[in-house]
Amino acid sequence: MQLTIQKMEVYYNNQLVGYLEMIDEDTIAFQYDTDWIKKGFSISPFSLPLSDKVYISNSPYFKGLYAVFNDSLPDGWGEFLIRRMLLRKKINFEKLSPLVRLSLVNQTGLGGLEYLPKQKKDQINETTDLDLIAADINKELNNRTDGLSLDNLYKLGGASGGARPKVHLKINNEEWIIKFAAINESSLVGIEEYKANILAKECGINVSEFKLFDSKLTKGFFGTKRFDRIGDKKIHVIALSSILETTHQISNLDYIHLFQVIQKISVNPDDLYEAYRRMCFNVLYGNKDDHGKNHSFIYDEVKKGYVLSKAYDITNTIDKLEHEMTVNGSGNPTEKELIEVQERMQLSKEKCLSIIENIKRVINNITL
């Protein structure tokens, strides 16, 4: 494994976007390629506008990277797998520079950005039997190695984000993310997330396509179709927290920030009301895992601008005391705060009240 990388090229669908270079241990420079400046788009609309400037981040969170590049790195389950894989090779993950970490992800990260040079991966025999994968995940979570294929888990899920174990699989030439129960989680989490997505869809939310995959061990594994892939084409995605150069691991954002970013960058006039619908659903249904990385924007090459991505990571989080993102300053908001947001953002009162009433009706009346 190459443990020192000073320079790196960033690509998007085989087009050179720009260059990353280590200046010192905590400083990384980025510069767009001249052709990308002429033909491309800003990959981070506030922090990295299109220019020939050399950009150096002053963020305290990402070891010199701009947040848009940090978005490519796995966290949660994916980082857990990478750490375990490197430990087996006697490599300390903590000592790897951000560029080396990006080289491990190279072409498999979330979103559309790719990184060269890349690390060579061993060829392995891959299983796509979901029950066998679930058994391997359980062994890994419980530090058992009998019959475990860590290589297979790493290949299938090493680029994942989020806490829950998951794999990325191509099914009928479409790319899906399939989730499994974490340690101490009920085996019913799959069907619970499936029901939550049905509710959200019934409320009119633009949910990413989803389904419940069959299992002999549980009532099913929840899967969601990747919205950052259309056939063989990758789609550029940037999280709300990354647009604002902050980390989702700190609860420092409010839904007002989401609306303000939409006003600044979205080319979809319906996005303000889509965001309002998602906010209301999360409050009324009890999805408090609504941090800044669970709201994202994609670059729409047809509309030549950013739009809200499809909704994802929708679930009921009864164990959380407060919402990760406050609603007009409240961590435990009610309809009062929802109306305050409508007033503050000067949205149509009639339309917003209709959204609230529809969500209440669906949540109270739908039979699953």
Side-chain angles (χ1 to χ4, degrees), residues 4 17 28 39 43 53 103 110 118 123 127 135 175 177 193 232 241 250 255 287 289 295 321 344:
T4 303
V17 175
I28 301 173
K39 303 175 184 178
I43 59 174
K53 176 182 174 181
S103 73
L110 300 176
K118 62 182 180 179
Q123 296 296 316
T127 178
E175 297 203 36
I177 298 175
E193 187 165 359
D232 294 328
S241 54
I250 299 174
Y255 275 92
N287 176 22
D289 189 33
H295 303 276
L321 296 178
R344 186 169 171 182

PDB file of all heavy atoms in Angstrom, residues 4 17 28 39 43 53 103 110 118 123 127 135 175 177 193 232 241 250 255 287 289 295 321 344:
ATOM      1  N   THR A   4       2.292   7.259   1.342  1.00  0.00           N
ATOM      2  CA  THR A   4       2.594   8.684   1.194  1.00  0.00           C
ATOM      3  C   THR A   4       2.142   9.156  -0.181  1.00  0.00           C
ATOM      4  O   THR A   4       2.573   8.617  -1.200  1.00  0.00           O
ATOM      5  CB  THR A   4       4.098   8.948   1.355  1.00  0.00           C
ATOM      6  OG1 THR A   4       4.533   8.462   2.618  1.00  0.00           O
ATOM      7  CG2 THR A   4       4.377  10.449   1.275  1.00  0.00           C
ATOM      8  N   VAL A  17     -11.269  17.358 -12.874  1.00  0.00           N
ATOM      9  CA  VAL A  17     -11.849  18.506 -12.171  1.00  0.00           C
ATOM     10  C   VAL A  17     -10.757  19.422 -11.644  1.00  0.00           C
ATOM     11  O   VAL A  17     -10.817  20.642 -11.777  1.00  0.00           O
ATOM     12  CB  VAL A  17     -12.742  18.043 -11.001  1.00  0.00           C
ATOM     13  CG1 VAL A  17     -13.250  19.244 -10.189  1.00  0.00           C
ATOM     14  CG2 VAL A  17     -13.895  17.208 -11.518  1.00  0.00           C
ATOM     15  N   ILE A  28      -3.860  21.376   2.863  1.00  0.00           N
ATOM     16  CA  ILE A  28      -4.017  20.765   1.540  1.00  0.00           C
ATOM     17  C   ILE A  28      -4.568  21.823   0.585  1.00  0.00           C
ATOM     18  O   ILE A  28      -5.567  22.481   0.880  1.00  0.00           O
ATOM     19  CB  ILE A  28      -4.973  19.563   1.585  1.00  0.00           C
ATOM     20  CG1 ILE A  28      -4.442  18.502   2.557  1.00  0.00           C
ATOM     21  CG2 ILE A  28      -5.160  18.968   0.194  1.00  0.00           C
ATOM     22  CD1 ILE A  28      -5.408  17.361   2.793  1.00  0.00           C
ATOM     23  N   LYS A  39     -15.634  24.524 -18.720  1.00  0.00           N
ATOM     24  CA  LYS A  39     -16.759  23.673 -19.085  1.00  0.00           C
ATOM     25  C   LYS A  39     -17.521  23.084 -17.903  1.00  0.00           C
ATOM     26  O   LYS A  39     -18.615  22.552 -18.075  1.00  0.00           O
ATOM     27  CB  LYS A  39     -16.271  22.518 -19.968  1.00  0.00           C
ATOM     28  CG  LYS A  39     -15.549  22.966 -21.224  1.00  0.00           C
ATOM     29  CD  LYS A  39     -14.986  21.770 -21.975  1.00  0.00           C
ATOM     30  CE  LYS A  39     -14.178  22.202 -23.196  1.00  0.00           C
ATOM     31  NZ  LYS A  39     -13.584  21.046 -23.906  1.00  0.00           N
ATOM     32  N   ILE A  43     -17.918  22.616  -7.594  1.00  0.00           N
ATOM     33  CA  ILE A  43     -18.259  21.404  -6.849  1.00  0.00           C
ATOM     34  C   ILE A  43     -18.645  21.701  -5.408  1.00  0.00           C
ATOM     35  O   ILE A  43     -19.168  20.840  -4.706  1.00  0.00           O
ATOM     36  CB  ILE A  43     -17.101  20.379  -6.893  1.00  0.00           C
ATOM     37  CG1 ILE A  43     -15.814  20.981  -6.304  1.00  0.00           C
ATOM     38  CG2 ILE A  43     -16.889  19.868  -8.317  1.00  0.00           C
ATOM     39  CD1 ILE A  43     -14.671  19.977  -6.191  1.00  0.00           C
ATOM     40  N   LYS A  53      -7.925  30.244  -8.871  1.00  0.00           N
ATOM     41  CA  LYS A  53      -7.341  30.464  -7.546  1.00  0.00           C
ATOM     42  C   LYS A  53      -6.892  29.148  -6.927  1.00  0.00           C
ATOM     43  O   LYS A  53      -7.471  28.093  -7.173  1.00  0.00           O
ATOM     44  CB  LYS A  53      -8.386  31.131  -6.650  1.00  0.00           C
ATOM     45  CG  LYS A  53      -7.959  31.344  -5.213  1.00  0.00           C
ATOM     46  CD  LYS A  53      -9.098  31.969  -4.401  1.00  0.00           C
ATOM     47  CE  LYS A  53      -8.725  32.062  -2.926  1.00  0.00           C
ATOM     48  NZ  LYS A  53      -9.828  32.646  -2.119  1.00  0.00           N
ATOM     49  N   SER A 103      -7.346   7.876  -1.583  1.00  0.00           N
ATOM     50  CA  SER A 103      -6.848   6.893  -2.549  1.00  0.00           C
ATOM     51  C   SER A 103      -7.435   5.510  -2.274  1.00  0.00           C
ATOM     52  O   SER A 103      -7.543   4.687  -3.183  1.00  0.00           O
ATOM     53  CB  SER A 103      -5.318   6.837  -2.520  1.00  0.00           C
ATOM     54  OG  SER A 103      -4.842   6.188  -1.354  1.00  0.00           O
ATOM     55  N   LEU A 110     -19.128   7.786  -2.199  1.00  0.00           N
ATOM     56  CA  LEU A 110     -20.449   8.336  -2.456  1.00  0.00           C
ATOM     57  C   LEU A 110     -20.323   9.583  -3.328  1.00  0.00           C
ATOM     58  O   LEU A 110     -19.334  10.305  -3.264  1.00  0.00           O
ATOM     59  CB  LEU A 110     -21.129   8.670  -1.135  1.00  0.00           C
ATOM     60  CG  LEU A 110     -21.339   7.491  -0.175  1.00  0.00           C
ATOM     61  CD1 LEU A 110     -21.926   7.968   1.139  1.00  0.00           C
ATOM     62  CD2 LEU A 110     -22.227   6.426  -0.807  1.00  0.00           C
ATOM     63  N   LYS A 118      -4.942   5.637  -7.120  1.00  0.00           N
ATOM     64  CA  LYS A 118      -5.788   4.784  -6.303  1.00  0.00           C
ATOM     65  C   LYS A 118      -4.975   3.604  -5.800  1.00  0.00           C
ATOM     66  O   LYS A 118      -3.943   3.239  -6.365  1.00  0.00           O
ATOM     67  CB  LYS A 118      -6.984   4.287  -7.101  1.00  0.00           C
ATOM     68  CG  LYS A 118      -6.644   3.431  -8.311  1.00  0.00           C
ATOM     69  CD  LYS A 118      -7.900   3.028  -9.058  1.00  0.00           C
ATOM     70  CE  LYS A 118      -7.568   2.172 -10.285  1.00  0.00           C
ATOM     71  NZ  LYS A 118      -8.783   1.755 -11.003  1.00  0.00           N
ATOM     72  N   GLN A 123      -8.342  -9.031  -5.719  1.00  0.00           N
ATOM     73  CA  GLN A 123      -9.496  -9.659  -6.334  1.00  0.00           C
ATOM     74  C   GLN A 123     -10.041 -10.725  -5.402  1.00  0.00           C
ATOM     75  O   GLN A 123      -9.309 -11.571  -4.912  1.00  0.00           O
ATOM     76  CB  GLN A 123      -9.116 -10.289  -7.679  1.00  0.00           C
ATOM     77  CG  GLN A 123      -8.672  -9.276  -8.725  1.00  0.00           C
ATOM     78  CD  GLN A 123      -9.788  -8.333  -9.111  1.00  0.00           C
ATOM     79  OE1 GLN A 123     -10.918  -8.751  -9.320  1.00  0.00           O
ATOM     80  NE2 GLN A 123      -9.475  -7.044  -9.204  1.00  0.00           N
ATOM     81  N   THR A 127     -19.824 -12.594  -2.539  1.00  0.00           N
ATOM     82  CA  THR A 127     -21.142 -13.179  -2.343  1.00  0.00           C
ATOM     83  C   THR A 127     -22.175 -12.070  -2.264  1.00  0.00           C
ATOM     84  O   THR A 127     -21.903 -10.995  -1.744  1.00  0.00           O
ATOM     85  CB  THR A 127     -21.213 -14.026  -1.065  1.00  0.00           C
ATOM     86  OG1 THR A 127     -22.553 -14.521  -0.920  1.00  0.00           O
ATOM     87  CG2 THR A 127     -20.859 -13.220   0.173  1.00  0.00           C
ATOM     88  N   ALA A 135     -24.854 -12.505   8.337  1.00  0.00           N
ATOM     89  CA  ALA A 135     -24.127 -13.356   9.286  1.00  0.00           C
ATOM     90  C   ALA A 135     -22.681 -12.886   9.427  1.00  0.00           C
ATOM     91  O   ALA A 135     -22.136 -12.841  10.543  1.00  0.00           O
ATOM     92  CB  ALA A 135     -24.178 -14.809   8.823  1.00  0.00           C
ATOM     93  N   GLU A 175     -27.847   0.273  -9.064  1.00  0.00           N
ATOM     94  CA  GLU A 175     -27.061   0.225  -7.838  1.00  0.00           C
ATOM     95  C   GLU A 175     -27.936   0.531  -6.635  1.00  0.00           C
ATOM     96  O   GLU A 175     -28.661   1.529  -6.601  1.00  0.00           O
ATOM     97  CB  GLU A 175     -25.883   1.206  -7.926  1.00  0.00           C
ATOM     98  CG  GLU A 175     -24.916   0.830  -9.038  1.00  0.00           C
ATOM     99  CD  GLU A 175     -23.527   1.387  -8.827  1.00  0.00           C
ATOM    100  OE1 GLU A 175     -23.068   1.456  -7.675  1.00  0.00           O
ATOM    101  OE2 GLU A 175     -22.907   1.756  -9.830  1.00  0.00           O
ATOM    102  N   ILE A 177     -28.279   0.378  -2.152  1.00  0.00           N
ATOM    103  CA  ILE A 177     -27.679   0.296  -0.821  1.00  0.00           C
ATOM    104  C   ILE A 177     -28.634  -0.509   0.044  1.00  0.00           C
ATOM    105  O   ILE A 177     -29.820  -0.178   0.163  1.00  0.00           O
ATOM    106  CB  ILE A 177     -27.464   1.695  -0.210  1.00  0.00           C
ATOM    107  CG1 ILE A 177     -26.492   2.498  -1.069  1.00  0.00           C
ATOM    108  CG2 ILE A 177     -26.931   1.575   1.218  1.00  0.00           C
ATOM    109  CD1 ILE A 177     -26.328   3.938  -0.606  1.00  0.00           C
ATOM    110  N   GLU A 193     -37.846   0.761   8.709  1.00  0.00           N
ATOM    111  CA  GLU A 193     -37.431   1.820   7.795  1.00  0.00           C
ATOM    112  C   GLU A 193     -38.261   1.776   6.507  1.00  0.00           C
ATOM    113  O   GLU A 193     -38.579   2.823   5.928  1.00  0.00           O
ATOM    114  CB  GLU A 193     -35.937   1.722   7.477  1.00  0.00           C
ATOM    115  CG  GLU A 193     -35.427   2.895   6.671  1.00  0.00           C
ATOM    116  CD  GLU A 193     -33.910   3.011   6.639  1.00  0.00           C
ATOM    117  OE1 GLU A 193     -33.222   2.170   7.267  1.00  0.00           O
ATOM    118  OE2 GLU A 193     -33.407   3.944   5.983  1.00  0.00           O
ATOM    119  N   ASP A 232     -24.425   4.090 -15.834  1.00  0.00           N
ATOM    120  CA  ASP A 232     -22.988   4.139 -15.558  1.00  0.00           C
ATOM    121  C   ASP A 232     -22.510   5.544 -15.209  1.00  0.00           C
ATOM    122  O   ASP A 232     -21.314   5.755 -14.966  1.00  0.00           O
ATOM    123  CB  ASP A 232     -22.207   3.613 -16.775  1.00  0.00           C
ATOM    124  CG  ASP A 232     -22.450   2.129 -17.022  1.00  0.00           C
ATOM    125  OD1 ASP A 232     -22.672   1.404 -16.032  1.00  0.00           O
ATOM    126  OD2 ASP A 232     -22.424   1.713 -18.193  1.00  0.00           O
ATOM    127  N   SER A 241     -24.279  20.053   5.327  1.00  0.00           N
ATOM    128  CA  SER A 241     -23.204  20.406   6.266  1.00  0.00           C
ATOM    129  C   SER A 241     -21.918  20.707   5.527  1.00  0.00           C
ATOM    130  O   SER A 241     -21.159  21.605   5.927  1.00  0.00           O
ATOM    131  CB  SER A 241     -22.990  19.269   7.282  1.00  0.00           C
ATOM    132  OG  SER A 241     -22.773  18.037   6.634  1.00  0.00           O
ATOM    133  N   ILE A 250     -21.563  17.554  14.864  1.00  0.00           N
ATOM    134  CA  ILE A 250     -21.879  18.604  15.823  1.00  0.00           C
ATOM    135  C   ILE A 250     -23.249  19.165  15.462  1.00  0.00           C
ATOM    136  O   ILE A 250     -23.490  19.545  14.320  1.00  0.00           O
ATOM    137  CB  ILE A 250     -20.828  19.732  15.800  1.00  0.00           C
ATOM    138  CG1 ILE A 250     -19.451  19.177  16.171  1.00  0.00           C
ATOM    139  CG2 ILE A 250     -21.209  20.860  16.751  1.00  0.00           C
ATOM    140  CD1 ILE A 250     -18.332  20.201  16.037  1.00  0.00           C
ATOM    141  N   TYR A 255     -32.940  24.145  10.615  1.00  0.00           N
ATOM    142  CA  TYR A 255     -33.614  24.032   9.323  1.00  0.00           C
ATOM    143  C   TYR A 255     -33.616  25.354   8.563  1.00  0.00           C
ATOM    144  O   TYR A 255     -33.669  25.367   7.326  1.00  0.00           O
ATOM    145  CB  TYR A 255     -35.040  23.516   9.508  1.00  0.00           C
ATOM    146  CG  TYR A 255     -35.118  22.014   9.575  1.00  0.00           C
ATOM    147  CD1 TYR A 255     -35.048  21.345  10.789  1.00  0.00           C
ATOM    148  CD2 TYR A 255     -35.238  21.249   8.416  1.00  0.00           C
ATOM    149  CE1 TYR A 255     -35.112  19.958  10.863  1.00  0.00           C
ATOM    150  CE2 TYR A 255     -35.301  19.864   8.469  1.00  0.00           C
ATOM    151  CZ  TYR A 255     -35.239  19.225   9.693  1.00  0.00           C
ATOM    152  OH  TYR A 255     -35.289  17.847   9.747  1.00  0.00           O
ATOM    153  N   ASN A 287     -38.582  11.651  13.308  1.00  0.00           N
ATOM    154  CA  ASN A 287     -37.260  11.331  12.760  1.00  0.00           C
ATOM    155  C   ASN A 287     -36.291  12.423  13.211  1.00  0.00           C
ATOM    156  O   ASN A 287     -36.172  13.469  12.574  1.00  0.00           O
ATOM    157  CB  ASN A 287     -37.306  11.249  11.234  1.00  0.00           C
ATOM    158  CG  ASN A 287     -35.922  11.004  10.637  1.00  0.00           C
ATOM    159  OD1 ASN A 287     -35.026  10.505  11.317  1.00  0.00           O
ATOM    160  ND2 ASN A 287     -35.758  11.352   9.381  1.00  0.00           N
ATOM    161  N   ASP A 289     -33.018  11.974  13.536  1.00  0.00           N
ATOM    162  CA  ASP A 289     -31.696  11.784  12.934  1.00  0.00           C
ATOM    163  C   ASP A 289     -31.638  12.599  11.640  1.00  0.00           C
ATOM    164  O   ASP A 289     -31.420  12.070  10.553  1.00  0.00           O
ATOM    165  CB  ASP A 289     -31.453  10.304  12.663  1.00  0.00           C
ATOM    166  CG  ASP A 289     -30.019  10.018  12.241  1.00  0.00           C
ATOM    167  OD1 ASP A 289     -29.109  10.724  12.715  1.00  0.00           O
ATOM    168  OD2 ASP A 289     -29.807   9.089  11.432  1.00  0.00           O
ATOM    169  N   HIS A 295     -29.232  15.729   4.636  1.00  0.00           N
ATOM    170  CA  HIS A 295     -29.854  16.610   3.646  1.00  0.00           C
ATOM    171  C   HIS A 295     -28.772  16.920   2.613  1.00  0.00           C
ATOM    172  O   HIS A 295     -27.697  17.396   2.977  1.00  0.00           O
ATOM    173  CB  HIS A 295     -30.341  17.914   4.280  1.00  0.00           C
ATOM    174  CG  HIS A 295     -31.311  17.715   5.403  1.00  0.00           C
ATOM    175  ND1 HIS A 295     -32.650  17.532   5.196  1.00  0.00           N
ATOM    176  CD2 HIS A 295     -31.121  17.672   6.740  1.00  0.00           C
ATOM    177  CE1 HIS A 295     -33.263  17.393   6.353  1.00  0.00           C
ATOM    178  NE2 HIS A 295     -32.349  17.474   7.317  1.00  0.00           N
ATOM    179  N   LEU A 321     -33.140  12.277  22.165  1.00  0.00           N
ATOM    180  CA  LEU A 321     -33.820  13.258  22.996  1.00  0.00           C
ATOM    181  C   LEU A 321     -34.238  14.493  22.208  1.00  0.00           C
ATOM    182  O   LEU A 321     -35.275  15.095  22.495  1.00  0.00           O
ATOM    183  CB  LEU A 321     -32.922  13.672  24.167  1.00  0.00           C
ATOM    184  CG  LEU A 321     -32.567  12.563  25.160  1.00  0.00           C
ATOM    185  CD1 LEU A 321     -31.640  13.096  26.249  1.00  0.00           C
ATOM    186  CD2 LEU A 321     -33.836  11.976  25.792  1.00  0.00           C
ATOM    187  N   ARG A 344     -41.020  33.059   8.868  1.00  0.00           N
ATOM    188  CA  ARG A 344     -39.675  33.625   8.736  1.00  0.00           C
ATOM    189  C   ARG A 344     -39.163  33.537   7.309  1.00  0.00           C
ATOM    190  O   ARG A 344     -38.488  34.450   6.815  1.00  0.00           O
ATOM    191  CB  ARG A 344     -38.730  32.907   9.694  1.00  0.00           C
ATOM    192  CG  ARG A 344     -37.339  33.503   9.760  1.00  0.00           C
ATOM    193  CD  ARG A 344     -36.563  32.907  10.908  1.00  0.00           C
ATOM    194  NE  ARG A 344     -35.155  33.312  10.850  1.00  0.00           N
ATOM    195  CZ  ARG A 344     -34.230  32.906  11.713  1.00  0.00           C
ATOM    196  NH1 ARG A 344     -34.572  32.105  12.707  1.00  0.00           N
ATOM    197  NH2 ARG A 344     -32.975  33.299  11.570  1.00  0.00           N
TER     198      ARG A 344
END
